Amino acid sequence: MSWQAYVDEHLLVDIELAAAAIVGQDGSVWAQSSAFPQFKPEEITAIMGDFAEPGSLAPTGLHLGGTKYMVIQGEAGAVIRGKKGAGGITVKKTNQALIFGIYEEPVTPGQCNMVVERLGDYLIDQDL
């Protein structure tokens, strides 16, 4: 299965995410939805830094494509969750990649978390 199929068939099917992507830990885009923001390499570096040192993004927020999300909770070294207004972001780290889901109302944080983290867990099981 292509990486784009994972985005199209796993991240964007069950619920209406605003944007989704699978990005290598080096910042290379493996697949993305058309609405996924153009991000800066330093934004991915900062996200990877928070996975290595949980809590490092809390003071400054998580930035992606110039949008700032308040870091609200997560699982140290595995998941970062952020909030901005009525929407937010979930980032799941796998062995080789980061899976991003960005949501807006009426999608709930829990729905986004479930879809993103389920795909992430599957890829971890596949050693990806």
Side-chain angles (χ1 to χ4, degrees):
M1 182 180 295
S2 77
W3 289 113
Q4 192 62 48
Y6 280 105
V7 169
D8 297 340
E9 297 171 18
H10 293 278
L11 293 174
L12 299 176
V13 171
D14 294 335
I15 61 170
E16 198 72 31
L17 287 179
I22 301 173
V23 176
Q25 292 183 9
D26 62 357
S28 61
V29 176
W30 294 6
Q32 65 183 8
S33 65
S34 59
F36 194 75
Q38 182 69 38
F39 58 84
K40 298 178 180 139
E42 55 267 23
E43 293 172 332
I44 300 301
T45 301
I47 291 167
M48 286 302 299
D50 192 82
F51 282 118
E53 189 179 319
S56 65
L57 284 178
T60 60
L62 182 155
H63 292 80
L64 188 71
T67 300
K68 178 180 177 180
Y69 297 89
M70 180 177 66
V71 177
I72 52 171
Q73 66 173 5
E75 296 168 29
V79 179
I80 301 170
R81 298 182 185 107
K83 190 97 174 112
K84 179 178 186 337
I89 188 168
T90 302
V91 185
K92 171 75 174 180
K93 181 178 175 275
T94 72
N95 299 339
Q96 300 176 27
L98 301 173
I99 301 169
F100 290 88
I102 299 173
Y103 65 93
E104 298 292 339
E105 281 188 325
V107 175
T108 67
Q111 289 173 308
C112 182
N113 296 342
M114 186 179 66
V115 169
V116 170
E117 293 174 36
R118 188 177 347 153
L119 178 59
D121 290 340
Y122 170 78
L123 293 178
I124 290 168
D125 288 345
Q126 303 303 307
D127 206 27
L128 299 167

